[in-house]
Amino acid sequence: MTLPKTPSMNLTGKRALVTGASSGIGQGCAVALAEAGAHVVCSARGMGRLQSTVDEMAGQGFSAEALSLDISDLDAIIAALTEQAPFDIIVNAAGYAKHTPATETEPSDFDAVMNINLRGAYFLSAWAAKAMQDAGIEGSIIHISSQMGHVGGIDRAVYCASKFGLEGMVKAMAIEWGKSRIRINTICPTFIRTPLTEPTFADPARVAWIEEKIKLGRTGVVEDIMGAVLYLASPASSLVTGSSMLIDGGWTAD
């Protein structure tokens, strides 16, 4: 009898691009991939905190470099994908939120959210998949979505629209690229304490709403996401595509 062998999560020799890597969830994703052996190109719009992140990663012996990249700038996306060596892994953690009642939403705010959360995510995925196909890479594309891609939320009509759209986009792309063995999935966190969510956590009414919804009785931290991104980036998830990994403490269970 031959016992089955546990798939490896070692990413040695793999190249990864992580957007939104200067802080929060994106930074955690970059560290998780680098710690597993990947060379990680860490990208964000500003170079200050991004370079500090890369310097600290290098100080811990990780292989990483910084790349200034605005995901809403399509020319910048295509340049990043054509000027760099091919990527085996794409993690899109760039995101934007502008929370208001739907009746008070400004068209400019709607466009800003969609340009980053959906339009940028769409073309990053499409162009990255094409580069993988051209290079013969059986890659993994991972988007940091949200539990709000599955449920509604207070003052979050625009944000929910962008994330519901992202979830549908990923399912359709998974169908297209399955024969190329290119996988695409989402990670859907609940409220994670990051610089992006600090305004929400500063509102006692919102905190009470969050704590009532999360069945496990606590909000999330970046470390809650790191294992999930490593799983989806590695051969351990080789039969997973077009899926959403909900890391929501049970928020969407009812």
Side-chain angles (χ1 to χ4, degrees):
M1 179 176 65
T2 302
L3 294 175
K5 185 177 180 180
T6 303
S8 174
M9 291 192 186
N10 187 292
L11 299 177
T12 300
K14 302 295 185 181
R15 284 176 48 82
L17 171 67
V18 180
T19 70
S22 60
S23 65
I25 291 174
Q27 185 184 69
C29 291
V31 170
L33 299 181
E35 191 169 6
H39 174 77
V40 183
V41 177
C42 301
S43 73
R45 284 180 291 181
M47 284 295 291
R49 286 188 302 177
L50 181 65
Q51 190 61 57
S52 296
T53 293
V54 168
D55 290 345
E56 189 166 349
M57 290 173 67
Q60 294 191 28
F62 301 148
S63 179
E65 62 182 280
L67 173 68
S68 177
L69 177 64
D70 181 351
I71 195 174
S72 67
D73 183 343
L74 299 189
D75 289 338
I77 292 175
I78 195 67
L81 293 172
T82 55
E83 294 173 5
Q84 294 269 339
F87 291 104
D88 304 277
I89 302 157
I90 303 288
V91 179
N92 175 34
Y96 182 68
K98 183 70 173 181
H99 301 315
T100 59
T103 54
E104 298 174 14
T105 301
E106 295 292 337
S108 59
D109 291 334
F110 181 95
D111 291 344
V113 172
M114 292 296 175
N115 280 344
I116 293 175
N117 293 0
L118 192 54
R119 181 173 179 262
Y122 185 100
F123 287 103
L124 174 63
S125 300
W127 294 338
K130 181 62 166 60
M132 289 174 179
Q133 288 172 332
D134 291 345
I137 291 172
E138 297 179 2
S140 176
I141 300 171
I142 305 161
H143 290 282
I144 304 300
S145 181
S146 171
Q147 67 183 17
M148 295 302 171
H150 297 265
V151 296
I154 300 169
D155 295 342
R156 282 165 169 76
V158 175
Y159 188 75
C160 286
S162 71
K163 295 301 186 179
F164 268 79
L166 180 65
E167 293 296 317
M169 178 198 90
V170 163
K171 290 183 183 303
M173 289 177 171
I175 295 169
E176 287 190 32
W177 303 332
K179 289 183 178 179
S180 299
R181 303 287 179 88
I182 294 169
R183 300 181 295 109
I184 181 167
N185 297 284
T186 63
I187 293 173
C188 300
T190 187
F191 287 87
I192 307 292
R193 285 192 174 270
T194 69
L196 183 67
T197 60
E198 279 310 310
T200 297
F201 283 108
D203 183 337
R206 291 287 187 266
V207 172
W209 170 61
I210 291 167
E211 291 178 346
E212 187 272 331
K213 287 283 191 179
I214 297 178
K215 310 305 183 292
L216 290 178
R218 70 170 177 87
T219 54
V221 294
V222 168
E223 288 81 356
D224 291 318
I225 312 301
M226 293 170 72
V229 77
L230 179 57
Y231 168 72
L232 288 176
S234 76
S237 61
S238 63
L239 199 60
V240 180
T241 195
S243 294
S244 304
M245 182 176 288
L246 283 153
I247 304 178
D248 67 349
W251 185 298
T252 59
D254 58 8

